[in-house]
Amino acid sequence: MQILVTNDDGIIAEGLWVLARELAKIASVTVVAPDRERSAIGTAVTLRHPLRVKPVKPPVPGVVAYSVDGTPSDSVILALGKLMEGRVDLVISGINHGPNLGEDVHISGTVGAALQGYLRGFSAIAVSAPDESERHLDTAARAATALVKRMEENPPPRRLFLNINLPDRPLAGVAGVKITRLARESHINTVEEDSHGRQKYYWLERERLGETEDSDTDIWAIEHGHISITPLYFSHDDKPPKPLLDGLCSGLLKELKSR
Ligand code: MN
């Protein structure tokens, strides 16, 4: 199995390598990622200037790695179109340092990179964990890898695009794994105005709205301590049937906790 791993936090981000290390136990892994942090850049691609690619000495043995002086989407397009040889089975983006939930997935560079893989016909997974915690990165990497293994053992009939988020809890406290839909809510919903001297300036900020009531959404799942797995798709034909997703995720938490 050959997997492309990318992210939007940049080639030196810890989440990228925790994921690559876990995946490398079951697959051949190529990492192609931006040379710096490019979060919240969505699916942007670079068309007005040339891109440069540098081989990177990977911290994980056996992994091939490159950095790109472009966006997460540039990295995926370059990897699939030029850098990788042979059959690619899957594109995985993450582990993002911070959640990607609700309508914010449309600005997420993590999800944007996975989308580029999906649009090119590959199954794709975006993985995000709460900010600044190693324990979440490890759980996220193991959850993603367990899913990948299941997809290898029982290949889905058509490509899948999954957005996975981890709750802010240690693995022992995780309540479950929930198949969800995107909440109709954006966290980037506030403009803060301030000034220094005569000059005004603005910050676009995240402000939580009230409690999410809809228990089938990704935000609800995270707030209630579940691992959220949201299938993303664009046409009805690509909507994964519920039994397939249930099968893919059944017993997943038990499997993670048993190790
Ligand atoms: Mn990011």
Side-chain angles (χ1 to χ4, degrees):
M1 195 181 202
Q2 187 175 207
I3 298 176
L4 167 62
V5 180
T6 189
N7 76 347
D8 75 355
D9 295 327
I11 191 79
I12 63 163
E14 195 186 351
L16 177 74
W17 290 106
V18 171
L19 179 61
R21 188 180 300 276
E22 197 63 28
L23 287 169
K25 294 176 184 170
I26 63 157
S28 156
V29 172
T30 301
V31 170
V32 184
D35 62 359
R36 69 202 75 176
E37 219 235 290
R38 306 301 299 269
S39 290
I41 201 157
T43 57
V45 294
T46 303
L47 300 178
R48 304 280 180 224
H49 62 78
L51 292 163
R52 289 188 172 77
V53 176
K54 276 190 195 159
V56 170
K57 188 170 180 287
V60 178
V63 169
V64 177
Y66 303 92
S67 71
V68 175
D69 66 345
T71 66
S73 287
D74 293 337
S75 303
V76 171
I77 294 167
L78 267 167
L80 297 175
K82 200 71 183 174
L83 301 172
M84 294 178 78
E85 279 170 16
R87 200 184 95 147
V88 176
D89 298 283
L90 190 69
V91 176
I92 302 198
S93 182
I95 301 164
N96 190 58
H97 295 227
N100 279 303
L101 297 163
E103 292 174 340
D104 286 343
V105 300
H106 299 294
I107 61 165
S108 163
T110 306
V111 178
L115 172 64
Q116 291 295 344
Y118 181 71
L119 293 178
R120 282 162 179 75
F122 299 90
S123 279
I125 300 176
V127 192
S128 303
D131 285 318
E132 316 288 340
S133 177
E134 273 176 43
R135 69 184 184 195
H136 296 317
L137 294 179
D138 182 56
T139 307
R142 287 178 44 215
T145 303
L147 277 179
V148 170
K149 215 170 167 195
R150 286 163 175 228
M151 285 167 70
E152 189 187 19
E153 284 159 6
N154 287 300
R158 52 180 76 227
R159 65 190 171 157
L160 281 181
F161 184 8
L162 302 177
N163 185 42
I164 304 176
N165 279 272
L166 273 283
D168 192 6
R169 287 188 185 183
L171 180 58
V174 172
V177 175
K178 237 172 120 56
I179 312 291
T180 56
R181 65 175 174 87
L182 295 178
R184 295 240 166 96
E185 189 178 316
S186 170
H187 284 201
I188 309 290
N189 51 14
T190 308
V191 179
E192 280 295 321
E193 182 182 294
D194 214 327
S195 68
H196 50 80
R198 272 173 282 178
Q199 186 91 47
K200 279 182 183 166
Y201 60 86
Y202 303 91
W203 284 104
L204 308 185
E205 292 199 333
R206 288 170 193 263
E207 186 176 282
R208 287 289 294 112
L209 303 174
E211 281 266 295
T212 302
E213 306 252 309
D214 300 329
S215 63
D216 58 345
T217 64
D218 53 353
I219 291 179
W220 189 96
I222 290 303
E223 283 174 348
H224 293 80
H226 295 261
I227 295 174
S228 166
I229 300 181
T230 312
L232 303 177
Y233 50 88
F234 298 95
S235 73
H236 189 73
D237 287 347
D238 277 338
K239 181 175 177 175
K242 192 169 178 303
L244 187 148
L245 295 170
D246 287 342
L248 189 62
C249 300
S250 108
L252 184 69
L253 187 60
K254 206 173 159 199
E255 183 185 328
L256 294 175
K257 286 185 176 180
S258 73
R259 220 179 64 184

